[in-house]
Amino acid sequence: MGTQILTRTLKFENLGLILVLKADALYSFSNFRAQEMAYATLLELSHLADGPKERIPMILQSYTPEHRLLQNFSVFDFATHSKEMLYQRKQYHYPPFSRIIQVNFYHKNQQKVQKVAHLFADLLRPSFTLETLLGPEAASIPKINNIYIFQLLIKIMPEMSPKKVKDLLGSSAEKIASISSLSTVKIKIDVDPL
Protein backbone atom coordinates (compact mmCIF):
# COMPACT_ATOMS: atom_id res chain seq x y z
CA MET A 1 0.00 0.00 0.00
CA GLY A 2 2.79 2.42 0.90
CA THR A 3 4.57 1.63 -2.36
CA GLN A 4 1.41 2.38 -4.32
CA ILE A 5 1.01 5.73 -2.57
CA LEU A 6 4.62 6.56 -3.41
CA THR A 7 4.24 5.75 -7.08
CA ARG A 8 1.03 7.70 -7.53
CA THR A 9 1.61 10.82 -5.48
CA LEU A 10 5.28 11.72 -5.37
CA LYS A 11 7.51 13.04 -8.13
CA PHE A 12 11.24 12.50 -7.80
CA GLU A 13 14.05 14.48 -9.39
CA ASN A 14 17.67 13.35 -9.64
CA LEU A 15 16.72 9.75 -8.94
CA GLY A 16 19.75 7.48 -9.30
CA LEU A 17 18.45 4.06 -8.21
CA ILE A 18 15.16 2.39 -7.35
CA LEU A 19 15.38 -0.37 -4.74
CA VAL A 20 12.38 -2.52 -3.81
CA LEU A 21 13.00 -4.30 -0.52
CA LYS A 22 11.15 -7.56 0.10
CA ALA A 23 9.46 -7.54 -3.29
CA ASP A 24 7.82 -10.84 -2.27
CA ALA A 25 5.56 -8.91 0.10
CA LEU A 26 3.84 -7.34 -2.91
CA TYR A 27 2.37 -10.67 -4.06
CA SER A 28 2.42 -12.88 -0.97
CA PHE A 29 -0.92 -12.05 0.63
CA SER A 30 -4.12 -14.04 0.28
CA ASN A 31 -5.97 -12.35 -2.53
CA PHE A 32 -6.36 -13.84 -5.98
CA ARG A 33 -5.54 -10.40 -7.41
CA ALA A 34 -2.25 -10.11 -5.47
CA GLN A 35 0.03 -10.90 -8.42
CA GLU A 36 -1.90 -8.59 -10.72
CA MET A 37 -1.58 -5.72 -8.23
CA ALA A 38 2.10 -6.51 -7.59
CA TYR A 39 2.93 -6.41 -11.30
CA ALA A 40 1.09 -3.09 -11.67
CA THR A 41 2.96 -1.60 -8.69
CA LEU A 42 6.33 -2.74 -10.04
CA LEU A 43 5.43 -1.31 -13.44
CA GLU A 44 4.54 2.04 -11.86
CA LEU A 45 7.85 2.03 -10.02
CA SER A 46 9.68 1.26 -13.24
CA HIS A 47 8.16 4.37 -14.78
CA LEU A 48 9.82 6.36 -12.02
CA ALA A 49 13.04 4.88 -13.37
CA ASP A 50 12.48 6.50 -16.76
CA GLY A 51 14.81 9.44 -16.32
CA PRO A 52 14.88 12.43 -18.69
CA LYS A 53 17.96 11.12 -20.54
CA GLU A 54 18.50 7.48 -19.60
CA ARG A 55 16.96 4.58 -17.75
CA ILE A 56 17.66 4.50 -14.01
CA PRO A 57 18.61 1.10 -12.50
CA MET A 58 15.98 -0.79 -10.51
CA ILE A 59 16.89 -3.52 -8.02
CA LEU A 60 14.38 -5.95 -6.52
CA GLN A 61 15.26 -7.80 -3.31
CA SER A 62 13.47 -11.14 -3.13
CA TYR A 63 13.58 -14.44 -1.25
CA THR A 64 12.13 -16.10 -4.36
CA PRO A 65 13.84 -14.52 -7.38
CA GLU A 66 12.73 -17.50 -9.49
CA HIS A 67 9.05 -16.54 -9.01
CA ARG A 68 7.32 -16.27 -12.40
CA LEU A 69 6.04 -12.76 -11.70
CA LEU A 70 9.56 -11.46 -11.05
CA GLN A 71 10.94 -13.33 -14.04
CA ASN A 72 8.28 -11.88 -16.35
CA PHE A 73 8.68 -8.40 -14.90
CA SER A 74 12.48 -8.45 -15.26
CA VAL A 75 12.06 -8.67 -19.05
CA PHE A 76 8.82 -6.60 -19.13
CA ASP A 77 6.89 -9.56 -20.54
CA PHE A 78 3.36 -8.54 -19.65
CA ALA A 79 1.84 -10.79 -22.33
CA THR A 80 3.28 -13.94 -20.75
CA HIS A 81 2.39 -12.72 -17.27
CA SER A 82 -1.23 -12.11 -18.35
CA LYS A 83 -1.53 -15.55 -19.96
CA GLU A 84 -0.17 -17.22 -16.83
CA MET A 85 -2.56 -15.28 -14.56
CA LEU A 86 -5.56 -16.14 -16.75
CA TYR A 87 -4.54 -19.81 -16.81
CA GLN A 88 -4.33 -19.87 -12.99
CA ARG A 89 -7.64 -18.08 -12.60
CA LYS A 90 -9.36 -20.52 -14.94
CA GLN A 91 -7.79 -23.50 -13.20
CA TYR A 92 -8.90 -22.31 -9.74
CA HIS A 93 -12.27 -20.83 -10.80
CA TYR A 94 -11.55 -17.14 -10.16
CA PRO A 95 -12.83 -14.14 -12.15
CA PRO A 96 -13.33 -13.67 -15.03
CA PHE A 97 -14.30 -17.38 -15.05
CA SER A 98 -16.59 -17.01 -12.04
CA ARG A 99 -18.02 -14.37 -9.76
CA ILE A 100 -16.95 -14.01 -6.16
CA ILE A 101 -19.06 -13.48 -3.06
CA GLN A 102 -17.31 -12.83 0.23
CA VAL A 103 -19.32 -13.31 3.39
CA ASN A 104 -17.86 -11.50 6.42
CA PHE A 105 -18.80 -12.25 10.02
CA TYR A 106 -18.16 -9.75 12.86
CA HIS A 107 -18.41 -10.03 16.64
CA LYS A 108 -16.48 -9.11 19.78
CA ASN A 109 -16.50 -12.77 20.92
CA GLN A 110 -14.11 -14.85 18.82
CA GLN A 111 -15.75 -18.21 19.58
CA LYS A 112 -19.20 -16.88 18.71
CA VAL A 113 -18.17 -15.36 15.38
CA GLN A 114 -16.28 -18.53 14.47
CA LYS A 115 -19.31 -20.68 15.37
CA VAL A 116 -21.62 -18.60 13.19
CA ALA A 117 -19.18 -18.63 10.27
CA HIS A 118 -18.95 -22.44 10.42
CA LEU A 119 -22.72 -22.83 10.79
CA PHE A 120 -23.29 -20.54 7.79
CA ALA A 121 -20.78 -22.58 5.74
CA ASP A 122 -22.48 -25.83 6.79
CA LEU A 123 -25.82 -24.48 5.58
CA LEU A 124 -24.28 -23.65 2.17
CA ARG A 125 -22.08 -26.74 1.77
CA PRO A 126 -24.69 -29.02 0.12
CA SER A 127 -25.07 -26.53 -2.75
CA PHE A 128 -21.35 -26.01 -3.46
CA THR A 129 -18.21 -28.02 -4.11
CA LEU A 130 -14.93 -27.90 -2.20
CA GLU A 131 -13.53 -25.71 -5.00
CA THR A 132 -16.38 -23.20 -4.92
CA LEU A 133 -16.85 -22.77 -1.16
CA LEU A 134 -13.69 -21.74 0.69
CA GLY A 135 -13.45 -21.29 4.42
CA PRO A 136 -14.48 -20.04 6.78
CA GLU A 137 -11.25 -18.68 8.17
CA ALA A 138 -10.05 -15.68 10.10
CA ALA A 139 -9.70 -12.59 7.91
CA SER A 140 -6.20 -11.50 6.90
CA ILE A 141 -6.62 -8.80 9.55
CA PRO A 142 -8.50 -10.94 12.09
CA LYS A 143 -9.39 -8.25 14.63
CA ILE A 144 -10.21 -4.55 14.28
CA ASN A 145 -11.27 -2.39 17.25
CA ASN A 146 -11.84 -5.50 19.39
CA ILE A 147 -14.11 -7.03 16.76
CA TYR A 148 -13.14 -10.45 15.35
CA ILE A 149 -13.64 -11.06 11.65
CA PHE A 150 -14.13 -14.36 9.85
CA GLN A 151 -14.65 -14.79 6.12
CA LEU A 152 -16.19 -17.25 3.72
CA LEU A 153 -15.46 -17.09 -0.02
CA ILE A 154 -17.96 -18.37 -2.57
CA LYS A 155 -17.19 -18.78 -6.26
CA ILE A 156 -20.28 -18.55 -8.44
CA MET A 157 -19.79 -20.51 -11.65
CA PRO A 158 -21.49 -19.35 -14.89
CA GLU A 159 -23.92 -22.29 -14.85
CA MET A 160 -25.19 -21.39 -11.36
CA SER A 161 -28.35 -19.36 -10.95
CA PRO A 162 -27.61 -15.98 -9.30
CA LYS A 163 -31.17 -15.90 -7.92
CA LYS A 164 -30.76 -19.34 -6.36
CA VAL A 165 -27.49 -18.28 -4.73
CA LYS A 166 -29.05 -15.05 -3.47
CA ASP A 167 -32.01 -16.95 -2.00
CA LEU A 168 -29.68 -19.49 -0.38
CA LEU A 169 -27.57 -16.76 1.24
CA GLY A 170 -30.69 -14.97 2.46
CA SER A 171 -32.27 -18.08 3.95
CA SER A 172 -28.98 -19.06 5.65
CA ALA A 173 -28.67 -15.60 7.22
CA GLU A 174 -32.31 -15.79 8.39
CA LYS A 175 -31.76 -19.20 10.01
CA ILE A 176 -28.81 -17.87 11.97
CA ALA A 177 -30.66 -14.68 12.94
CA SER A 178 -33.49 -16.83 14.34
CA ILE A 179 -31.09 -18.36 16.91
CA SER A 180 -31.16 -15.76 19.69
CA SER A 181 -27.74 -16.65 21.10
CA LEU A 182 -26.12 -16.09 17.66
CA SER A 183 -28.21 -13.22 16.33
CA THR A 184 -25.75 -10.57 17.54
CA VAL A 185 -23.10 -11.70 15.03
CA LYS A 186 -23.11 -9.26 12.13
CA ILE A 187 -23.10 -10.85 8.66
CA LYS A 188 -22.10 -8.79 5.64
CA ILE A 189 -22.34 -10.17 2.09
CA ASP A 190 -20.05 -8.56 -0.47
CA VAL A 191 -20.58 -9.42 -4.15
CA ASP A 192 -17.49 -9.03 -6.38
CA PRO A 193 -15.26 -7.68 -3.57
CA LEU A 194 -12.16 -5.73 -4.53
Side-chain angles (χ1 to χ4, degrees), residues 68-91:
R68 293 295 302 155
L69 180 141
L70 297 177
Q71 292 296 312
N72 290 334
F73 178 75
S74 69
V75 292
F76 293 104
D77 189 354
F78 183 71
T80 299
H81 176 69
S82 296
K83 286 177 189 172
E84 289 172 0
M85 290 301 96
L86 279 174
Y87 174 78
Q88 286 180 5
R89 287 188 183 194
K90 186 173 187 177
Q91 185 178 14

Side-chain angles (χ1 to χ4, degrees), residues 12 35 105 133 158 160 166 178:
F12 299 96
Q35 290 192 37
F105 305 88
L133 182 66
M160 298 176 85
K166 180 182 176 185
S178 69

Side-chain angles (χ1 to χ4, degrees), residues 49-57:
D50 291 330
K53 296 181 182 174
E54 60 187 41
R55 190 151 193 84
I56 299 165

Side-chain angles (χ1 to χ4, degrees), residues 56-192:
I56 299 165
M58 184 174 181
I59 298 173
L60 304 177
Q61 179 208 31
S62 171
Y63 294 107
T64 57
E66 71 282 354
H67 193 282
R68 293 295 302 155
L69 180 141
L70 297 177
Q71 292 296 312
N72 290 334
F73 178 75
S74 69
V75 292
F76 293 104
D77 189 354
F78 183 71
T80 299
H81 176 69
S82 296
K83 286 177 189 172
E84 289 172 0
M85 290 301 96
L86 279 174
Y87 174 78
Q88 286 180 5
R89 287 188 183 194
K90 186 173 187 177
Q91 185 178 14
Y92 295 108
H93 310 295
Y94 281 107
F97 305 101
S98 70
R99 293 191 69 191
I100 299 290
I101 295 177
Q102 183 173 300
V103 184
N104 298 309
F105 305 88
Y106 306 89
H107 200 273
K108 62 184 175 183
N109 181 298
Q110 184 178 15
Q111 287 74 31
K112 188 177 278 194
V113 72
Q114 188 172 9
K115 182 177 181 178
V116 168
H118 282 278
L119 178 59
F120 198 93
D122 290 343
L123 291 169
L124 297 178
R125 219 167 291 288
S127 301
F128 294 92
T129 66
L130 291 175
E131 293 85 23
T132 58
L133 182 66
L134 305 178
E137 62 183 24
S140 56
I141 300 174
K143 186 178 179 184
I144 298 174
N145 295 330
N146 293 322
I147 300 292
Y148 291 93
I149 307 166
F150 271 72
Q151 295 177 330
L152 183 65
L153 191 70
I154 304 166
K155 299 174 190 175
I156 309 300
M157 303 308 293
E159 65 274 8
M160 298 176 85
S161 162
K163 183 180 180 341
K164 181 180 176 187
V165 172
K166 180 182 176 185
D167 292 344
L168 183 60
L169 291 170
S171 67
S172 298
E174 286 174 11
K175 285 177 186 173
I176 290 172
S178 69
I179 303 170
S180 60
S181 63
L182 304 177
S183 63
T184 57
V185 174
K186 181 179 177 187
I187 300 172
K188 180 183 172 203
I189 298 172
D190 190 1
V191 179
D192 298 325

Side-chain angles (χ1 to χ4, degrees), residues 35-52:
Q35 290 192 37
E36 175 186 332
M37 294 184 294
Y39 196 96
T41 299
L42 290 172
L43 196 58
E44 288 176 11
L45 281 170
S46 74
H47 290 303
L48 291 177
D50 291 330

